Amino acid sequence: MDKKLALGLLILLFLSGSVLAQDLPDDELQVNISGYFDSFDVNVMYPSIAITRKVSDKTSITGRYLVDMITAASMKTGGSSSSGSGEREHEDDDEGREHDFGKTSSATSVNSVDAVTAASSRGGGGVFGGEGLSSFDDVRNEFNLGVSQIVGENLISLNGIYSTERDYTSSTLAGTISRQFAMKNTTLQLGFVRSWDKVFPVIKDWTRSKDVVTYSANFSQLLGKSALIQFLTSYSENNGYLADAYNQVSVDSMGTMVLRDPIHPNNRIRKAAATQLKFRLSEQSSMQMGYRYYWDNWDVVSHTFSMNYMRHMSDHVVLGLGWRTYLQNRAFFFKPQYAQPEALMTSDIKLDKGYSNQLQFELTLNGGRGQDYLPFLTSEKIQYNISLNVYSRHTQSGYWYNGQKNMIATNFNLGIRYRF
Amino acid sequence: MRWIYVLLLFLLLILSGCATVKPWERESLADPIMIIDENPIDAGMKEHFIDYREGSEGATGAQSGGCGCG
């Protein structure tokens, strides 16, 4: 039945009459330097460079390279637990076999793992092997190559993403097809993402797979000369190893709390539906309001509310202020501690009941005439972006590693866009 | 998933039927402050870190690659 409805929708869409061709993305070079710092002593710097270029009237290609450079205080102490919940004695693998944790302790001291980020220390060599990045504990490289093609009245985009780090690789193929109709008042975009991930934790001797398939449908509609609305939906099916190998679960064993590996279901079906409304408040300002409802078969349900205010401060300066609030309940198998081993166990803080708030600040400087007093802003082709986000999260249970229920994080970005 | 298609079909029929904004009337809508996620690369990177901090994801319009941090 689902397939028939989807087919009907597609036929209606692609046989509909009043359609107009869509535009390819602008030619541009974008360089960003971003950073993330939180109260769990995690610091991440992630510079990136992206280029988009039309190669014909109907074809555009995009390339992007991003590197995550992670440092964490807990890595430098070998990732040892400070929760006080008990001494590590044994660990189980997914099949429930017990191992002497002492066998892995020496490996842990060399290939230390951060319990907060799950990032693994690069040790002496690392990805680059040189000293230039030696102050970072883990490095992730992400490569993205994409092509956008106008086919008839449709805009089709295909992206390949490959991400690699010491203990994880991910290959992703993503595609979207979008079409405007009703005199460009309506846009429908259908998307497909397929990921093939491999996880091979440095403290384990196994490799496991994780496969993700995501379908999305986004619908945009102009509501008038100064308002538009967007509806977004996604359906994602995750299969394979879905736990974080570096998280641990406290389990009571004959009166002593011991740490064991988490055991997650090997299937997760995730669904989300969202709407965003954007409207003009005045000639110089706009407001965006959004809501997302999320639910999955692990009984996680969440609500996300967001507001974003944007204002032209001058001909060349745009200010953005945003607020985001997130509420989530607990996965059905989450417990801060377990009285006895269970078939499914997790203390992953992402699956606990909690809430978060985020404040967003953005400043965009556009180059052009009238900016002669600032030599780096004289070109109309250049744009500078500055953003700062302050994020706070509260969970009902303390994190297994440090016992903390509250986390504060800041995230900044300095970016340059050059349109050529 | 069936309800999503039904909803989209409903929206497609209802909302596309009342389109009234002509191309020459879109000066206000073309303003960068009226564009949702005007910088998709930046939006994707911000979403990536939030995905790791929370148990939900999807329906954001943003796209990023997988990593072992989640």
Side-chain angles (χ1 to χ4, degrees):
Chain A
M1 187 63 182
D2 284 353
K3 287 180 181 172
K4 286 182 182 174
L5 278 166
L7 187 64
L9 183 64
L10 282 170
I11 290 170
L12 182 69
L13 172 66
F14 295 106
L15 294 183
S16 63
S18 54
V19 290
L20 295 173
Q22 296 190 68
D23 299 325
L24 291 168
D26 290 334
D27 287 357
E28 68 171 21
L29 174 69
Q30 190 171 155
V31 179
N32 288 285
I33 297 174
S34 308
Y36 170 90
F37 313 96
D38 72 26
S39 59
F40 286 7
D41 292 330
V42 177
N43 304 312
V44 185
M45 291 296 293
Y46 49 110
S48 69
I49 183 167
I51 186 165
T52 302
R53 179 85 174 166
K54 286 189 185 77
V55 293
S56 75
D57 289 347
K58 293 188 173 183
T59 309
S60 172
I61 57 172
T62 299
R64 185 166 75 102
Y65 172 65
L66 176 145
V67 55
D68 279 344
M69 297 178 291
I70 304 165
T71 58
S74 51
M75 287 182 183
K76 303 184 192 312
T77 60
S80 58
S81 172
S82 61
S83 64
S85 59
E87 186 180 350
R88 287 183 172 189
E89 292 182 348
H90 298 83
E91 71 169 346
D92 286 354
D93 66 14
D94 273 2
E95 285 71 43
R97 296 187 297 266
E98 287 198 350
H99 301 291
D100 182 352
F101 206 90
K103 289 178 182 173
T104 59
S105 61
S106 60
T108 303
S109 66
V110 176
N111 300 311
S112 58
V113 175
D114 176 49
V116 184
T117 63
S120 52
S121 171
R122 295 185 306 123
V127 173
F128 293 95
E131 294 186 357
L133 293 170
S134 60
S135 60
F136 298 103
D137 296 312
D138 196 10
V139 175
R140 180 176 77 93
N141 293 275
E142 183 182 302
F143 307 89
N144 185 331
L145 190 62
V147 59
S148 296
Q149 174 80 38
I150 294 174
V151 179
E153 306 294 346
N154 309 302
L155 178 63
I156 296 175
S157 295
L158 280 175
N159 271 283
I161 305 170
Y162 179 69
S163 170
T164 179
E165 56 198 292
R166 185 176 175 81
D167 54 0
Y168 203 96
T169 61
S170 176
S171 302
T172 300
L173 185 64
T176 60
I177 178 167
S178 57
R179 181 162 185 142
Q180 293 180 316
F181 48 98
M183 297 187 70
K184 284 194 171 183
N185 280 240
T186 307
T187 304
L188 184 68
Q189 184 185 72
L190 303 175
F192 171 82
V193 180
R194 178 78 166 88
S195 292
W196 299 267
D197 294 7
K198 293 282 182 195
V199 54
F200 35 93
V202 294
I203 57 169
K204 309 288 185 188
D205 57 2
W206 47 253
T207 297
R208 299 247 161 88
S209 299
K210 174 185 169 187
D211 294 335
V212 181
V213 183
T214 303
Y215 305 95
S216 62
N218 301 333
F219 179 89
S220 301
Q221 174 67 42
L222 302 185
L223 296 177
K225 295 175 187 173
S226 56
L228 68 153
I229 193 165
Q230 195 174 46
F231 298 94
L232 307 104
T233 59
S234 70
Y235 172 92
S236 180
E237 193 162 338
N238 299 236
N239 289 295
Y241 184 75
L242 304 181
D244 180 340
Y246 301 121
N247 264 290
Q248 295 284 286
V249 178
S250 295
V251 182
D252 191 340
S253 174
M254 309 288 283
T256 303
M257 297 307 290
V258 296
L259 293 174
R260 296 194 175 211
D261 282 352
I263 306 172
H264 288 197
N266 57 14
N267 169 268
R268 190 176 188 187
I269 294 176
R270 318 179 78 174
K271 303 170 189 175
T275 183
Q276 296 188 76
L277 175 67
K278 188 132 194 173
F279 54 95
R280 195 172 272 279
L281 287 174
S282 70
E283 198 171 319
Q284 301 299 327
S285 62
S286 71
M287 176 69 83
Q288 181 174 320
M289 302 173 76
Y291 169 73
R292 180 184 69 172
Y293 180 70
Y294 168 93
W295 69 109
D296 65 30
N297 64 344
W298 290 5
D299 289 352
V300 174
V301 174
S302 73
H303 305 271
T304 308
F305 304 90
S306 61
M307 295 177 71
N308 195 282
Y309 172 80
M310 296 188 79
R311 181 176 182 82
H312 286 288
M313 304 304 291
S314 73
D315 289 346
H316 299 276
V317 180
V318 176
L319 174 70
L321 296 171
W323 174 271
R324 178 183 181 276
T325 292
Y326 174 82
L327 307 163
Q328 176 187 307
N329 71 349
R330 179 177 279 185
F332 73 91
F333 58 102
F334 178 95
K335 289 180 185 175
Q337 292 185 334
Y338 289 79
Q340 59 191 23
E342 296 184 15
L344 298 173
M345 300 190 294
T346 191
S347 296
D348 188 338
I349 209 75
K350 294 196 297 294
L351 300 174
D352 191 14
K353 182 177 182 180
Y355 61 85
S356 70
N357 289 291
Q358 183 173 245
L359 268 175
Q360 303 160 330
F361 168 84
E362 289 183 16
L363 198 63
T364 302
L365 306 174
N366 292 299
R369 283 177 295 180
Q371 300 283 81
D372 298 342
Y373 54 93
L374 292 173
F376 55 88
L377 268 176
T378 51
S379 171
E380 290 182 356
K381 297 177 178 176
I382 205 159
Q383 181 186 79
Y384 293 87
N385 298 297
I386 302 164
S387 70
L388 178 68
N389 300 322
V390 180
Y391 177 87
S392 73
R393 182 188 69 187
H394 175 82
T395 48
Q396 201 168 55
S397 313
Y399 189 46
W400 75 269
Y401 178 75
N402 57 21
Q404 292 182 28
K405 295 181 179 179
N406 296 305
M407 188 196 73
I408 305 286
T410 55
N411 174 216
F412 79 86
N413 178 60
L414 302 172
I416 301 174
R417 297 175 80 178
Y418 181 76
R419 295 187 173 94
F420 50 88
Chain B
M1 277 295 281
R2 188 173 64 177
W3 67 272
I4 291 177
Y5 296 123
V6 173
L7 177 67
L8 281 169
L9 192 61
F10 174 77
L11 292 169
L12 194 68
L13 293 172
I14 297 299
L15 294 177
S16 63
C18 58
T20 56
V21 187
K22 305 291 189 296
W24 56 89
E25 296 174 326
R26 292 182 191 158
E27 186 182 358
S28 172
L29 292 163
D31 189 330
I33 67 169
M34 287 298 293
I35 297 174
I36 294 175
D37 287 337
E38 195 262 344
N39 188 343
I41 290 175
D42 190 40
M45 287 196 292
K46 285 174 184 165
E47 198 61 37
H48 183 74
F49 273 93
I50 286 181
D51 285 349
Y52 173 59
R53 299 287 173 266
E54 298 168 354
S56 309
E57 66 176 34
T60 60
Q63 193 182 82
S64 67
C67 78
C69 54

